[in-house]
Amino acid sequence: MSKVLIIEDEVAIADLEKDYLELSGFEVEIENSGDVGLEKALQEEFDMYILDLMLPGADGFEICRQIREVKNTPILMVSAKKDDIDKIRGLGLGADDYITKPFSPSELVARVKAHLARYERLIGSSQQENDTIEIRGIKIDKTARRVWVNEEEKQFTTKEFDLLTFLAENPNRVFTKEELFREIWDMESIGDIATVTVHIKKIREKIEINTAKPQYIETIWGVGYRFKV
Ligand code: CA
């Protein structure tokens, strides 16, 4: 359930806002003083703030500014004067929306819902988005460690995946087998660098149409390999 904090010194207005928001399924808390409200806003987690502008103690401008220093939570400013809204905009305090008194409670609810939905989408997309690389038909999902070649998923071993990803992340750069061995096998280059050749061959079998004429991982004779973009 989304939690809304209303900071409003006019008790009747605060109660009306609370009633309508609760009817729409929100959990609502009210603070009537600017100072106490500001403290609560900063210390507790809410999904949305509704701030009256003129308050005893810290005013809406100050509360908005201080919340924005530490949180991206949506803020709706409420003002008795239209002029104040121009002032809020001019100050660039980072409020998401403004509404003037008197307003219809259903208008307020509609705006709260819209801002919460937008904010949740924003948070959701930043949390869910996987780290991917896409190059000419090859898609590497680094988060899920999965690879698709022309929409078809291919299975890679851990080292094959690491090697392909490393080359794709550093396109058009030539790496020697020694460099690749050090990078992927994570030890000094005393090991068998032929391992790199074997892995490149396996990767090519999965991503190239014709392994004799590789389109992705090129062999630079006498030097090493590069991922061509
Ligand atoms: Ca007021």
Side-chain angles (χ1 to χ4, degrees), residues 107-144:
E107 167 74 10
L108 177 89
V109 170
R111 294 209 196 179
V112 169
K113 278 184 179 169
H115 285 288
L116 275 170
R118 189 183 56 81
Y119 186 62
E120 273 157 18
R121 273 200 308 277
L122 207 74
I123 292 182
S125 62
S126 66
Q127 279 175 347
Q128 285 162 11
E129 198 167 306
N130 282 7
D131 191 0
T132 59
I133 306 167
E134 287 194 69
I135 300 172
R136 289 187 291 118
I138 294 186
K139 182 179 166 191
I140 303 170
D141 184 332
K142 288 174 64 186
T143 316

PDB file of all heavy atoms in Angstrom, residues 107-144:
ATOM      1  N   GLU A 107      -9.703  15.506  -7.989  1.00  0.00           N
ATOM      2  CA  GLU A 107      -8.584  15.990  -8.814  1.00  0.00           C
ATOM      3  C   GLU A 107      -7.254  15.680  -8.110  1.00  0.00           C
ATOM      4  O   GLU A 107      -6.302  15.214  -8.727  1.00  0.00           O
ATOM      5  CB  GLU A 107      -8.742  17.508  -9.037  1.00  0.00           C
ATOM      6  CG  GLU A 107      -7.523  18.232  -9.603  1.00  0.00           C
ATOM      7  CD  GLU A 107      -7.279  17.960 -11.076  1.00  0.00           C
ATOM      8  OE1 GLU A 107      -8.162  17.353 -11.717  1.00  0.00           O
ATOM      9  OE2 GLU A 107      -6.199  18.321 -11.570  1.00  0.00           O
ATOM     10  N   LEU A 108      -7.242  15.923  -6.819  1.00  0.00           N
ATOM     11  CA  LEU A 108      -6.035  15.639  -6.037  1.00  0.00           C
ATOM     12  C   LEU A 108      -5.688  14.142  -6.108  1.00  0.00           C
ATOM     13  O   LEU A 108      -4.543  13.771  -6.370  1.00  0.00           O
ATOM     14  CB  LEU A 108      -6.251  16.053  -4.578  1.00  0.00           C
ATOM     15  CG  LEU A 108      -5.068  15.740  -3.653  1.00  0.00           C
ATOM     16  CD1 LEU A 108      -4.075  16.891  -3.623  1.00  0.00           C
ATOM     17  CD2 LEU A 108      -5.536  15.420  -2.243  1.00  0.00           C
ATOM     18  N   VAL A 109      -6.691  13.305  -5.910  1.00  0.00           N
ATOM     19  CA  VAL A 109      -6.468  11.861  -5.940  1.00  0.00           C
ATOM     20  C   VAL A 109      -5.937  11.428  -7.307  1.00  0.00           C
ATOM     21  O   VAL A 109      -4.986  10.649  -7.404  1.00  0.00           O
ATOM     22  CB  VAL A 109      -7.767  11.091  -5.581  1.00  0.00           C
ATOM     23  CG1 VAL A 109      -7.606   9.601  -5.857  1.00  0.00           C
ATOM     24  CG2 VAL A 109      -8.140  11.327  -4.128  1.00  0.00           C
ATOM     25  N   ALA A 110      -6.539  11.979  -8.363  1.00  0.00           N
ATOM     26  CA  ALA A 110      -6.105  11.624  -9.722  1.00  0.00           C
ATOM     27  C   ALA A 110      -4.632  11.974  -9.915  1.00  0.00           C
ATOM     28  O   ALA A 110      -3.863  11.203 -10.490  1.00  0.00           O
ATOM     29  CB  ALA A 110      -6.965  12.351 -10.753  1.00  0.00           C
ATOM     30  N   ARG A 111      -4.234  13.148  -9.428  1.00  0.00           N
ATOM     31  CA  ARG A 111      -2.836  13.558  -9.606  1.00  0.00           C
ATOM     32  C   ARG A 111      -1.886  12.697  -8.784  1.00  0.00           C
ATOM     33  O   ARG A 111      -0.811  12.325  -9.255  1.00  0.00           O
ATOM     34  CB  ARG A 111      -2.679  15.024  -9.204  1.00  0.00           C
ATOM     35  CG  ARG A 111      -3.425  15.941 -10.140  1.00  0.00           C
ATOM     36  CD  ARG A 111      -2.762  17.268 -10.199  1.00  0.00           C
ATOM     37  NE  ARG A 111      -3.632  18.267 -10.784  1.00  0.00           N
ATOM     38  CZ  ARG A 111      -3.275  19.529 -10.938  1.00  0.00           C
ATOM     39  NH1 ARG A 111      -2.093  19.924 -10.530  1.00  0.00           N
ATOM     40  NH2 ARG A 111      -4.093  20.379 -11.502  1.00  0.00           N
ATOM     41  N   VAL A 112      -2.277  12.390  -7.560  1.00  0.00           N
ATOM     42  CA  VAL A 112      -1.436  11.535  -6.715  1.00  0.00           C
ATOM     43  C   VAL A 112      -1.228  10.179  -7.397  1.00  0.00           C
ATOM     44  O   VAL A 112      -0.110   9.672  -7.498  1.00  0.00           O
ATOM     45  CB  VAL A 112      -2.058  11.359  -5.305  1.00  0.00           C
ATOM     46  CG1 VAL A 112      -1.342  10.258  -4.524  1.00  0.00           C
ATOM     47  CG2 VAL A 112      -1.993  12.676  -4.531  1.00  0.00           C
ATOM     48  N   LYS A 113      -2.325   9.620  -7.902  1.00  0.00           N
ATOM     49  CA  LYS A 113      -2.239   8.312  -8.580  1.00  0.00           C
ATOM     50  C   LYS A 113      -1.308   8.376  -9.789  1.00  0.00           C
ATOM     51  O   LYS A 113      -0.490   7.490 -10.001  1.00  0.00           O
ATOM     52  CB  LYS A 113      -3.631   7.874  -9.054  1.00  0.00           C
ATOM     53  CG  LYS A 113      -4.461   7.236  -7.973  1.00  0.00           C
ATOM     54  CD  LYS A 113      -5.770   6.745  -8.575  1.00  0.00           C
ATOM     55  CE  LYS A 113      -6.630   6.065  -7.539  1.00  0.00           C
ATOM     56  NZ  LYS A 113      -7.985   5.815  -8.043  1.00  0.00           N
ATOM     57  N   ALA A 114      -1.455   9.445 -10.572  1.00  0.00           N
ATOM     58  CA  ALA A 114      -0.637   9.579 -11.784  1.00  0.00           C
ATOM     59  C   ALA A 114       0.847   9.667 -11.432  1.00  0.00           C
ATOM     60  O   ALA A 114       1.687   9.015 -12.058  1.00  0.00           O
ATOM     61  CB  ALA A 114      -1.064  10.812 -12.579  1.00  0.00           C
ATOM     62  N   HIS A 115       1.161  10.452 -10.410  1.00  0.00           N
ATOM     63  CA  HIS A 115       2.576  10.608 -10.049  1.00  0.00           C
ATOM     64  C   HIS A 115       3.166   9.330  -9.471  1.00  0.00           C
ATOM     65  O   HIS A 115       4.300   8.977  -9.753  1.00  0.00           O
ATOM     66  CB  HIS A 115       2.761  11.776  -9.091  1.00  0.00           C
ATOM     67  CG  HIS A 115       2.652  13.095  -9.787  1.00  0.00           C
ATOM     68  ND1 HIS A 115       3.638  13.556 -10.628  1.00  0.00           N
ATOM     69  CD2 HIS A 115       1.669  14.004  -9.831  1.00  0.00           C
ATOM     70  CE1 HIS A 115       3.247  14.709 -11.147  1.00  0.00           C
ATOM     71  NE2 HIS A 115       2.062  15.007 -10.676  1.00  0.00           N
ATOM     72  N   LEU A 116       2.360   8.651  -8.674  1.00  0.00           N
ATOM     73  CA  LEU A 116       2.846   7.394  -8.098  1.00  0.00           C
ATOM     74  C   LEU A 116       3.082   6.347  -9.180  1.00  0.00           C
ATOM     75  O   LEU A 116       4.085   5.639  -9.151  1.00  0.00           O
ATOM     76  CB  LEU A 116       1.845   6.870  -7.071  1.00  0.00           C
ATOM     77  CG  LEU A 116       2.017   7.466  -5.688  1.00  0.00           C
ATOM     78  CD1 LEU A 116       0.851   7.086  -4.802  1.00  0.00           C
ATOM     79  CD2 LEU A 116       3.318   6.998  -5.061  1.00  0.00           C
ATOM     80  N   ALA A 117       2.171   6.285 -10.134  1.00  0.00           N
ATOM     81  CA  ALA A 117       2.313   5.303 -11.212  1.00  0.00           C
ATOM     82  C   ALA A 117       3.569   5.603 -12.018  1.00  0.00           C
ATOM     83  O   ALA A 117       4.347   4.704 -12.338  1.00  0.00           O
ATOM     84  CB  ALA A 117       1.081   5.345 -12.116  1.00  0.00           C
ATOM     85  N   ARG A 118       3.796   6.871 -12.314  1.00  0.00           N
ATOM     86  CA  ARG A 118       4.975   7.254 -13.091  1.00  0.00           C
ATOM     87  C   ARG A 118       6.258   6.933 -12.317  1.00  0.00           C
ATOM     88  O   ARG A 118       7.220   6.389 -12.852  1.00  0.00           O
ATOM     89  CB  ARG A 118       4.918   8.754 -13.397  1.00  0.00           C
ATOM     90  CG  ARG A 118       5.967   9.241 -14.383  1.00  0.00           C
ATOM     91  CD  ARG A 118       5.892  10.747 -14.572  1.00  0.00           C
ATOM     92  NE  ARG A 118       6.019  11.461 -13.317  1.00  0.00           N
ATOM     93  CZ  ARG A 118       7.178  11.720 -12.721  1.00  0.00           C
ATOM     94  NH1 ARG A 118       8.298  11.338 -13.269  1.00  0.00           N
ATOM     95  NH2 ARG A 118       7.218  12.361 -11.570  1.00  0.00           N
ATOM     96  N   TYR A 119       6.227   7.241 -11.022  1.00  0.00           N
ATOM     97  CA  TYR A 119       7.409   7.017 -10.183  1.00  0.00           C
ATOM     98  C   TYR A 119       7.713   5.524 -10.052  1.00  0.00           C
ATOM     99  O   TYR A 119       8.863   5.103 -10.113  1.00  0.00           O
ATOM    100  CB  TYR A 119       7.173   7.639  -8.807  1.00  0.00           C
ATOM    101  CG  TYR A 119       8.373   7.599  -7.892  1.00  0.00           C
ATOM    102  CD1 TYR A 119       9.550   8.256  -8.238  1.00  0.00           C
ATOM    103  CD2 TYR A 119       8.340   6.925  -6.679  1.00  0.00           C
ATOM    104  CE1 TYR A 119      10.651   8.230  -7.412  1.00  0.00           C
ATOM    105  CE2 TYR A 119       9.429   6.892  -5.836  1.00  0.00           C
ATOM    106  CZ  TYR A 119      10.580   7.551  -6.205  1.00  0.00           C
ATOM    107  OH  TYR A 119      11.676   7.511  -5.376  1.00  0.00           O
ATOM    108  N   GLU A 120       6.652   4.727  -9.914  1.00  0.00           N
ATOM    109  CA  GLU A 120       6.854   3.278  -9.787  1.00  0.00           C
ATOM    110  C   GLU A 120       7.419   2.689 -11.080  1.00  0.00           C
ATOM    111  O   GLU A 120       8.248   1.792 -11.054  1.00  0.00           O
ATOM    112  CB  GLU A 120       5.548   2.585  -9.390  1.00  0.00           C
ATOM    113  CG  GLU A 120       5.384   2.584  -7.874  1.00  0.00           C
ATOM    114  CD  GLU A 120       3.950   2.442  -7.412  1.00  0.00           C
ATOM    115  OE1 GLU A 120       3.099   1.998  -8.216  1.00  0.00           O
ATOM    116  OE2 GLU A 120       3.673   2.790  -6.258  1.00  0.00           O
ATOM    117  N   ARG A 121       6.949   3.225 -12.211  1.00  0.00           N
ATOM    118  CA  ARG A 121       7.493   2.759 -13.498  1.00  0.00           C
ATOM    119  C   ARG A 121       8.976   3.073 -13.576  1.00  0.00           C
ATOM    120  O   ARG A 121       9.790   2.275 -14.021  1.00  0.00           O
ATOM    121  CB  ARG A 121       6.763   3.432 -14.662  1.00  0.00           C
ATOM    122  CG  ARG A 121       5.506   2.723 -15.103  1.00  0.00           C
ATOM    123  CD  ARG A 121       5.114   3.122 -16.511  1.00  0.00           C
ATOM    124  NE  ARG A 121       5.024   4.559 -16.706  1.00  0.00           N
ATOM    125  CZ  ARG A 121       3.949   5.283 -16.393  1.00  0.00           C
ATOM    126  NH1 ARG A 121       2.889   4.708 -15.887  1.00  0.00           N
ATOM    127  NH2 ARG A 121       3.929   6.570 -16.590  1.00  0.00           N
ATOM    128  N   LEU A 122       9.302   4.275 -13.124  1.00  0.00           N
ATOM    129  CA  LEU A 122      10.691   4.751 -13.161  1.00  0.00           C
ATOM    130  C   LEU A 122      11.584   3.843 -12.311  1.00  0.00           C
ATOM    131  O   LEU A 122      12.620   3.372 -12.754  1.00  0.00           O
ATOM    132  CB  LEU A 122      10.717   6.172 -12.588  1.00  0.00           C
ATOM    133  CG  LEU A 122      11.805   7.102 -13.053  1.00  0.00           C
ATOM    134  CD1 LEU A 122      11.498   7.543 -14.483  1.00  0.00           C
ATOM    135  CD2 LEU A 122      11.863   8.330 -12.153  1.00  0.00           C
ATOM    136  N   ILE A 123      11.149   3.585 -11.087  1.00  0.00           N
ATOM    137  CA  ILE A 123      11.922   2.729 -10.190  1.00  0.00           C
ATOM    138  C   ILE A 123      11.988   1.317 -10.761  1.00  0.00           C
ATOM    139  O   ILE A 123      13.044   0.705 -10.821  1.00  0.00           O
ATOM    140  CB  ILE A 123      11.275   2.689  -8.786  1.00  0.00           C
ATOM    141  CG1 ILE A 123      11.413   4.044  -8.133  1.00  0.00           C
ATOM    142  CG2 ILE A 123      11.941   1.625  -7.928  1.00  0.00           C
ATOM    143  CD1 ILE A 123      10.862   4.091  -6.745  1.00  0.00           C
ATOM    144  N   GLY A 124      10.831   0.811 -11.220  1.00  0.00           N
ATOM    145  CA  GLY A 124      10.760  -0.536 -11.769  1.00  0.00           C
ATOM    146  C   GLY A 124      11.709  -0.715 -12.930  1.00  0.00           C
ATOM    147  O   GLY A 124      12.453  -1.687 -12.989  1.00  0.00           O
ATOM    148  N   SER A 125      11.743   0.258 -13.836  1.00  0.00           N
ATOM    149  CA  SER A 125      12.587   0.097 -15.016  1.00  0.00           C
ATOM    150  C   SER A 125      14.063   0.141 -14.638  1.00  0.00           C
ATOM    151  O   SER A 125      14.868  -0.566 -15.218  1.00  0.00           O
ATOM    152  CB  SER A 125      12.267   1.155 -16.067  1.00  0.00           C
ATOM    153  OG  SER A 125      12.533   2.431 -15.568  1.00  0.00           O
ATOM    154  N   SER A 126      14.402   0.958 -13.641  1.00  0.00           N
ATOM    155  CA  SER A 126      15.824   1.023 -13.292  1.00  0.00           C
ATOM    156  C   SER A 126      16.259  -0.238 -12.551  1.00  0.00           C
ATOM    157  O   SER A 126      17.406  -0.644 -12.614  1.00  0.00           O
ATOM    158  CB  SER A 126      16.138   2.270 -12.471  1.00  0.00           C
ATOM    159  OG  SER A 126      15.493   2.202 -11.227  1.00  0.00           O
ATOM    160  N   GLN A 127      15.311  -0.873 -11.861  1.00  0.00           N
ATOM    161  CA  GLN A 127      15.691  -2.084 -11.128  1.00  0.00           C
ATOM    162  C   GLN A 127      15.722  -3.305 -12.033  1.00  0.00           C
ATOM    163  O   GLN A 127      16.514  -4.202 -11.846  1.00  0.00           O
ATOM    164  CB  GLN A 127      14.686  -2.352 -10.002  1.00  0.00           C
ATOM    165  CG  GLN A 127      14.963  -1.503  -8.779  1.00  0.00           C
ATOM    166  CD  GLN A 127      13.894  -1.680  -7.722  1.00  0.00           C
ATOM    167  OE1 GLN A 127      12.840  -2.230  -7.987  1.00  0.00           O
ATOM    168  NE2 GLN A 127      14.169  -1.203  -6.539  1.00  0.00           N
ATOM    169  N   GLN A 128      14.813  -3.329 -13.019  1.00  0.00           N
ATOM    170  CA  GLN A 128      14.662  -4.548 -13.787  1.00  0.00           C
ATOM    171  C   GLN A 128      15.556  -4.614 -15.017  1.00  0.00           C
ATOM    172  O   GLN A 128      15.783  -5.672 -15.557  1.00  0.00           O
ATOM    173  CB  GLN A 128      13.201  -4.693 -14.235  1.00  0.00           C
ATOM    174  CG  GLN A 128      12.319  -5.129 -13.079  1.00  0.00           C
ATOM    175  CD  GLN A 128      10.869  -4.866 -13.353  1.00  0.00           C
ATOM    176  OE1 GLN A 128      10.503  -4.545 -14.470  1.00  0.00           O
ATOM    177  NE2 GLN A 128      10.038  -4.983 -12.339  1.00  0.00           N
ATOM    178  N   GLU A 129      16.025  -3.468 -15.448  1.00  0.00           N
ATOM    179  CA  GLU A 129      16.762  -3.461 -16.698  1.00  0.00           C
ATOM    180  C   GLU A 129      18.078  -4.228 -16.564  1.00  0.00           C
ATOM    181  O   GLU A 129      18.909  -3.917 -15.717  1.00  0.00           O
ATOM    182  CB  GLU A 129      17.036  -2.025 -17.120  1.00  0.00           C
ATOM    183  CG  GLU A 129      17.385  -1.947 -18.576  1.00  0.00           C
ATOM    184  CD  GLU A 129      17.349  -0.503 -19.051  1.00  0.00           C
ATOM    185  OE1 GLU A 129      16.331   0.164 -18.864  1.00  0.00           O
ATOM    186  OE2 GLU A 129      18.360  -0.062 -19.596  1.00  0.00           O
ATOM    187  N   ASN A 130      18.259  -5.214 -17.399  1.00  0.00           N
ATOM    188  CA  ASN A 130      19.504  -5.963 -17.377  1.00  0.00           C
ATOM    189  C   ASN A 130      20.565  -5.235 -18.192  1.00  0.00           C
ATOM    190  O   ASN A 130      20.266  -4.470 -19.085  1.00  0.00           O
ATOM    191  CB  ASN A 130      19.285  -7.355 -17.961  1.00  0.00           C
ATOM    192  CG  ASN A 130      18.606  -8.271 -16.971  1.00  0.00           C
ATOM    193  OD1 ASN A 130      18.177  -7.836 -15.902  1.00  0.00           O
ATOM    194  ND2 ASN A 130      18.501  -9.531 -17.319  1.00  0.00           N
ATOM    195  N   ASP A 131      21.806  -5.538 -17.849  1.00  0.00           N
ATOM    196  CA  ASP A 131      22.926  -4.942 -18.533  1.00  0.00           C
ATOM    197  C   ASP A 131      23.184  -5.765 -19.812  1.00  0.00           C
ATOM    198  O   ASP A 131      23.603  -6.911 -19.724  1.00  0.00           O
ATOM    199  CB  ASP A 131      24.123  -5.016 -17.574  1.00  0.00           C
ATOM    200  CG  ASP A 131      25.282  -4.192 -18.061  1.00  0.00           C
ATOM    201  OD1 ASP A 131      25.155  -3.576 -19.138  1.00  0.00           O
ATOM    202  OD2 ASP A 131      26.308  -4.170 -17.366  1.00  0.00           O
ATOM    203  N   THR A 132      22.877  -5.199 -20.962  1.00  0.00           N
ATOM    204  CA  THR A 132      23.019  -5.969 -22.196  1.00  0.00           C
ATOM    205  C   THR A 132      23.911  -5.270 -23.221  1.00  0.00           C
ATOM    206  O   THR A 132      24.058  -4.058 -23.211  1.00  0.00           O
ATOM    207  CB  THR A 132      21.653  -6.232 -22.873  1.00  0.00           C
ATOM    208  OG1 THR A 132      21.051  -4.976 -23.151  1.00  0.00           O
ATOM    209  CG2 THR A 132      20.727  -7.056 -21.999  1.00  0.00           C
ATOM    210  N   ILE A 133      24.481  -6.092 -24.095  1.00  0.00           N
ATOM    211  CA  ILE A 133      25.289  -5.585 -25.206  1.00  0.00           C
ATOM    212  C   ILE A 133      24.624  -6.118 -26.475  1.00  0.00           C
ATOM    213  O   ILE A 133      24.303  -7.308 -26.547  1.00  0.00           O
ATOM    214  CB  ILE A 133      26.731  -6.141 -25.163  1.00  0.00           C
ATOM    215  CG1 ILE A 133      27.389  -5.869 -23.808  1.00  0.00           C
ATOM    216  CG2 ILE A 133      27.584  -5.573 -26.297  1.00  0.00           C
ATOM    217  CD1 ILE A 133      28.683  -6.661 -23.613  1.00  0.00           C
ATOM    218  N   GLU A 134      24.402  -5.264 -27.457  1.00  0.00           N
ATOM    219  CA  GLU A 134      23.822  -5.738 -28.714  1.00  0.00           C
ATOM    220  C   GLU A 134      24.676  -5.289 -29.873  1.00  0.00           C
ATOM    221  O   GLU A 134      24.904  -4.094 -30.060  1.00  0.00           O
ATOM    222  CB  GLU A 134      22.394  -5.209 -28.884  1.00  0.00           C
ATOM    223  CG  GLU A 134      21.427  -5.899 -27.949  1.00  0.00           C
ATOM    224  CD  GLU A 134      19.976  -5.649 -28.320  1.00  0.00           C
ATOM    225  OE1 GLU A 134      19.524  -6.144 -29.371  1.00  0.00           O
ATOM    226  OE2 GLU A 134      19.315  -4.945 -27.537  1.00  0.00           O
ATOM    227  N   ILE A 135      25.198  -6.254 -30.623  1.00  0.00           N
ATOM    228  CA  ILE A 135      26.026  -5.934 -31.788  1.00  0.00           C
ATOM    229  C   ILE A 135      25.607  -6.817 -32.951  1.00  0.00           C
ATOM    230  O   ILE A 135      25.697  -8.039 -32.869  1.00  0.00           O
ATOM    231  CB  ILE A 135      27.534  -6.143 -31.486  1.00  0.00           C
ATOM    232  CG1 ILE A 135      27.988  -5.250 -30.315  1.00  0.00           C
ATOM    233  CG2 ILE A 135      28.370  -5.828 -32.733  1.00  0.00           C
ATOM    234  CD1 ILE A 135      29.400  -5.530 -29.825  1.00  0.00           C
ATOM    235  N   ARG A 136      25.108  -6.202 -33.999  1.00  0.00           N
ATOM    236  CA  ARG A 136      24.754  -6.903 -35.240  1.00  0.00           C
ATOM    237  C   ARG A 136      24.183  -8.308 -35.020  1.00  0.00           C
ATOM    238  O   ARG A 136      24.791  -9.294 -35.413  1.00  0.00           O
ATOM    239  CB  ARG A 136      25.987  -6.997 -36.149  1.00  0.00           C
ATOM    240  CG  ARG A 136      26.389  -5.653 -36.736  1.00  0.00           C
ATOM    241  CD  ARG A 136      27.503  -5.802 -37.759  1.00  0.00           C
ATOM    242  NE  ARG A 136      28.761  -6.187 -37.166  1.00  0.00           N
ATOM    243  CZ  ARG A 136      29.410  -7.314 -37.436  1.00  0.00           C
ATOM    244  NH1 ARG A 136      28.932  -8.172 -38.307  1.00  0.00           N
ATOM    245  NH2 ARG A 136      30.555  -7.580 -36.843  1.00  0.00           N
ATOM    246  N   GLY A 137      23.041  -8.391 -34.418  1.00  0.00           N
ATOM    247  CA  GLY A 137      22.380  -9.693 -34.302  1.00  0.00           C
ATOM    248  C   GLY A 137      22.798 -10.514 -33.095  1.00  0.00           C
ATOM    249  O   GLY A 137      22.207 -11.542 -32.804  1.00  0.00           O
ATOM    250  N   ILE A 138      23.835 -10.056 -32.401  1.00  0.00           N
ATOM    251  CA  ILE A 138      24.228 -10.765 -31.185  1.00  0.00           C
ATOM    252  C   ILE A 138      23.785  -9.949 -29.983  1.00  0.00           C
ATOM    253  O   ILE A 138      24.041  -8.751 -29.904  1.00  0.00           O
ATOM    254  CB  ILE A 138      25.759 -10.972 -31.122  1.00  0.00           C
ATOM    255  CG1 ILE A 138      26.192 -11.911 -32.240  1.00  0.00           C
ATOM    256  CG2 ILE A 138      26.181 -11.538 -29.769  1.00  0.00           C
ATOM    257  CD1 ILE A 138      27.643 -12.284 -32.184  1.00  0.00           C
ATOM    258  N   LYS A 139      23.078 -10.620 -29.089  1.00  0.00           N
ATOM    259  CA  LYS A 139      22.653  -9.937 -27.875  1.00  0.00           C
ATOM    260  C   LYS A 139      23.208 -10.694 -26.675  1.00  0.00           C
ATOM    261  O   LYS A 139      22.987 -11.895 -26.527  1.00  0.00           O
ATOM    262  CB  LYS A 139      21.127  -9.891 -27.809  1.00  0.00           C
ATOM    263  CG  LYS A 139      20.612  -9.142 -26.602  1.00  0.00           C
ATOM    264  CD  LYS A 139      19.102  -9.091 -26.594  1.00  0.00           C
ATOM    265  CE  LYS A 139      18.614  -8.647 -25.226  1.00  0.00           C
ATOM    266  NZ  LYS A 139      17.173  -8.830 -25.080  1.00  0.00           N
ATOM    267  N   ILE A 140      23.952  -9.974 -25.835  1.00  0.00           N
ATOM    268  CA  ILE A 140      24.541 -10.577 -24.645  1.00  0.00           C
ATOM    269  C   ILE A 140      23.889  -9.939 -23.422  1.00  0.00           C
ATOM    270  O   ILE A 140      23.967  -8.723 -23.243  1.00  0.00           O
ATOM    271  CB  ILE A 140      26.064 -10.327 -24.591  1.00  0.00           C
ATOM    272  CG1 ILE A 140      26.746 -10.877 -25.864  1.00  0.00           C
ATOM    273  CG2 ILE A 140      26.674 -10.957 -23.338  1.00  0.00           C
ATOM    274  CD1 ILE A 140      28.204 -10.458 -26.000  1.00  0.00           C
ATOM    275  N   ASP A 141      23.218 -10.745 -22.641  1.00  0.00           N
ATOM    276  CA  ASP A 141      22.636 -10.255 -21.396  1.00  0.00           C
ATOM    277  C   ASP A 141      23.625 -10.579 -20.283  1.00  0.00           C
ATOM    278  O   ASP A 141      23.743 -11.725 -19.843  1.00  0.00           O
ATOM    279  CB  ASP A 141      21.288 -10.952 -21.151  1.00  0.00           C
ATOM    280  CG  ASP A 141      20.590 -10.398 -19.923  1.00  0.00           C
ATOM    281  OD1 ASP A 141      21.289  -9.925 -19.001  1.00  0.00           O
ATOM    282  OD2 ASP A 141      19.350 -10.442 -19.892  1.00  0.00           O
ATOM    283  N   LYS A 142      24.350  -9.541 -19.859  1.00  0.00           N
ATOM    284  CA  LYS A 142      25.399  -9.758 -18.862  1.00  0.00           C
ATOM    285  C   LYS A 142      24.829 -10.121 -17.505  1.00  0.00           C
ATOM    286  O   LYS A 142      25.442 -10.862 -16.741  1.00  0.00           O
ATOM    287  CB  LYS A 142      26.264  -8.497 -18.727  1.00  0.00           C
ATOM    288  CG  LYS A 142      27.159  -8.264 -19.931  1.00  0.00           C
ATOM    289  CD  LYS A 142      27.892  -6.945 -19.819  1.00  0.00           C
ATOM    290  CE  LYS A 142      28.842  -6.953 -18.634  1.00  0.00           C
ATOM    291  NZ  LYS A 142      29.451  -5.621 -18.435  1.00  0.00           N
ATOM    292  N   THR A 143      23.647  -9.587 -17.197  1.00  0.00           N
ATOM    293  CA  THR A 143      23.039  -9.857 -15.894  1.00  0.00           C
ATOM    294  C   THR A 143      22.602 -11.312 -15.796  1.00  0.00           C
ATOM    295  O   THR A 143      22.853 -11.983 -14.802  1.00  0.00           O
ATOM    296  CB  THR A 143      21.826  -8.931 -15.677  1.00  0.00           C
ATOM    297  OG1 THR A 143      22.181  -7.620 -16.098  1.00  0.00           O
ATOM    298  CG2 THR A 143      21.411  -8.902 -14.227  1.00  0.00           C
ATOM    299  N   ALA A 144      21.935 -11.782 -16.846  1.00  0.00           N
ATOM    300  CA  ALA A 144      21.419 -13.160 -16.827  1.00  0.00           C
ATOM    301  C   ALA A 144      22.435 -14.160 -17.384  1.00  0.00           C
ATOM    302  O   ALA A 144      22.211 -15.365 -17.331  1.00  0.00           O
ATOM    303  CB  ALA A 144      20.120 -13.232 -17.633  1.00  0.00           C
TER     304      ALA A 144
END
